[in-house]
Amino acid sequence: MKIQLLDPLVAQRIAAGEVIERPASVIRELLDNALDAGAKTIVASVTDGGLEEIKLIDDGEGIEPEDLPLLCESHATSKVRELDDLYHIKSMGFRGEALYSIAAVSKITIASSFQGQDPYQITVDNGRKEAVLPGGPRIGTMVTVQGLFKELPARRQFLKRPSTEATMARSVLLEKALAYPERAFRFISDQTVRVDLVPTTRKQRVLDVLSLNQNIIPSEMLELYDTAGRFDLYAVCSSPALSRSDRSHIKIYVNNRPIDEYSLVQAVTYGYGELLAGGSFPYCYLFINVDPTLVDFNIHPTKREVKLRNKAEIHHQVVSMIAGQIKRSIPRLVKQEMESEDAPLLAPLYESRPAAHQSHHAGERPGRYETPSQKAPLDSEWFQKAKELLEGNRMQASRSTETDDVWAQQEDEQEFVYLGQAFNLFLVAQKQDDLFLVDQHAAHERLIFDEVRQKKHVQQLMIPLSFEVERDVDAYLLESQDVYLNLGIKLERTDDLLWQITSLPALYRNIESHVISFIQKTTGDAQEVEKGLYAVVACHAAIKAGDSVDRMMAVSLLTKVFALDEPTCPHGRTFVVRLGKNELMKAVQRT
Ligand code: ADP
Ligand code: MG
């Protein structure tokens, strides 16, 4: 006989494998249940990264004692009765297989008081159900999971170190907490409170969570809203002054569920468009609320995938909300957007009349300046303003020639005059009969890129930098550590999944953590590693758009830029705009 029915426990464990992979998956499912039970305060704790114990306490409505023996049965759920219910899901859970799966691979105890009545509890030990007994919390539910995968050594072997597992569990909690700002969440690891989030607004919850790992200036985070027919959008996202070199902080939620939907992550980056330099990504927490009849989460047990019937429409709306509202939020960019839509390349330059931060002219009209194209300027004041600007700049330039001999001399040698910075983004220089606008961030990136390629100044680290990797990267590094060695980065394997950097070129100083996180997620070929790593490094060490640059820095940057053969950044974008004197003369109808 070749075909046999699986032993029920074996079948149960196979099914469990899809839902429960590690302590963080247990936390995810228990959190969902607590949220569905209407808990206002949720405390999750792990001992030894959850390998020893995971505990979740909530103050939700609790479980009726008669239901306790059913909880760990397959497809036991109070949330779906009929097939049709699947299309109106408002709860996190609906498949009724989480507790069943957890019970198959650990010893689980569920203790609960239903609406404040006498508490009861049940224990299921690796699929073996015990009797219901009195005892438990006075309100809500407490679920305790011990010895996860203890009877499945093959699975336990796939787990990481306890500290890493604890970090993953914490991330799951934070991810959920972002969607439920009006509820309190606490995370405890080995008896130490690691996260304590109090009820607050949506924006503040995002700030509270981000501030656990970094300093964020609240004013750099914006709130966007939009609504269209059967869905609405809400986002907390960064102004272009703040960005990062990866997409890890673009998070999409659909009906409060965090999902992995690349096309919507892309919609966010499209929305920012040119506001961020290549290789820079925003922080964006996007919450999409969609009519439940248009959504299907029932694709994968972990519910991280979703089918959206109106995805194209949502995609479009996300791009337009971000593109429109982010620009509007930055005073500097407003005019550019209003006027230069179809205007020639020159348009922004015409606007760079003495701007608000330089000098205020009494009676200066705020608002629109017509973009002069072929016809004569409509605004009679415009010509006067342009003249003042040019004179102002010349004065500024000549003034500094007097006071700042060294730099003047260097500029002479290079045959350019540095005129100043525009929009906190462009360095403006005059060289012979051309005016140059140089994107400072992209230019600096490119220069660093070149410097990095020469892999100068490799330094032996006094204290090696240790880090852990996933199984696939571990295998990759074993084979390909030479790829890094050729770039001046020396790697050594100290233990299973554990690596360290023992030497590193000086240029990577202060951004070691970015280098490490790059290594942790890369398995590409030598060329990909080279390009990717340089871009990451350049991105982090380079001056950002929005940084103000001092004269010395600007001149040294421009000197190097003018020495380049081909001014494109490591992402392939060009970063120099040249405006010929003739074109400019023509624009003001002078010949
Ligand atoms: P699902 O959440 O998909 O229904 P689960 O296996 O996660 O399936 O849970 C089974 C049932 O147990 C739920 O439908 C719910 O009725 C009950 N339950 C689980 N956890 C809790 C809790 N913390 N508070 C109240 N009820 C709970
Ligand atoms: Mg559930």
Side-chain angles (χ1 to χ4, degrees), residues 257-328:
R257 234 186 264 278
I259 55 156
D260 300 322
E261 176 60 57
Y262 187 68
S263 73
L264 292 172
V265 170
Q266 224 174 15
V268 170
T269 57
Y270 288 163
Y272 276 83
E274 287 295 303
L275 290 177
L276 290 180
S280 310
F281 300 96
Y283 290 80
C284 180
Y285 292 82
L286 173 63
F287 300 90
I288 305 172
N289 265 316
V290 194
D291 180 338
T293 57
L294 300 177
V295 198
D296 186 359
F297 284 104
N298 194 21
I299 299 171
H300 190 265
T302 60
K303 307 179 187 101
R304 298 216 48 124
E305 281 170 52
V306 64
K307 270 195 206 120
L308 287 165
R309 273 205 259 159
N310 53 343
K311 187 155 97 185
E313 194 190 349
I314 293 177
H315 189 279
H316 172 83
Q317 202 77 16
V318 169
V319 177
S320 86
M321 171 180 81
I322 292 181
Q325 298 187 24
I326 294 276
K327 275 186 201 157
R328 230 166 290 146

Side-chain angles (χ1 to χ4, degrees), residues 29-30 32-33 36 79 92-99 303:
E29 293 299 335
L30 299 183
D32 277 356
N33 285 346
D36 285 343
K79 298 164 197 171
M92 288 289 115
F94 55 80
R95 299 170 64 113
E97 59 188 9
L99 293 180
K303 307 179 187 101

Side-chain angles (χ1 to χ4, degrees), residues 21-135:
E21 205 187 350
R22 53 180 5 111
S25 350
V26 174
I27 295 275
R28 182 192 62 219
E29 293 299 335
L30 299 183
L31 281 171
D32 277 356
N33 285 346
L35 289 166
D36 285 343
K40 292 272 169 275
T41 303
I42 300 173
V43 182
S45 69
V46 295
T47 308
D48 204 22
L51 303 188
E52 191 182 319
E53 187 182 273
I54 302 163
K55 200 189 273 289
L56 213 111
I57 303 173
D58 71 56
D59 60 357
E61 70 159 356
I63 302 164
E64 295 190 57
E66 315 71 283
D67 284 345
L68 286 173
L70 296 174
L71 292 182
C72 300
E73 297 291 331
S74 174
H75 310 304
T77 178
S78 56
K79 298 164 197 171
V80 172
R81 292 268 174 267
E82 296 161 19
L83 188 59
D84 194 49
D85 292 346
L86 273 181
Y87 303 99
H88 306 280
I89 297 267
K90 296 221 173 65
S91 56
M92 288 289 115
F94 55 80
R95 299 170 64 113
E97 59 188 9
L99 293 180
Y100 169 72
S101 301
I102 297 168
V105 295
S106 69
K107 179 176 174 185
I108 183 174
T109 299
I110 302 159
S112 188
S113 151
F114 180 65
Q115 296 180 347
Q117 298 164 18
D118 289 344
Y120 286 88
Q121 56 177 296
I122 189 168
T123 296
V124 183
D125 186 352
N126 287 279
R128 293 173 291 270
K129 204 188 294 180
E130 296 174 9
V132 174
L133 300 171

Side-chain angles (χ1 to χ4, degrees), residues 535-554:
V536 165
V537 171
C539 240
H540 284 284
I543 339 168
K544 296 277 180 296
D547 287 355
S548 66
V549 173
D550 66 18
R551 188 169 184 82
M552 187 167 126
M553 182 82 172

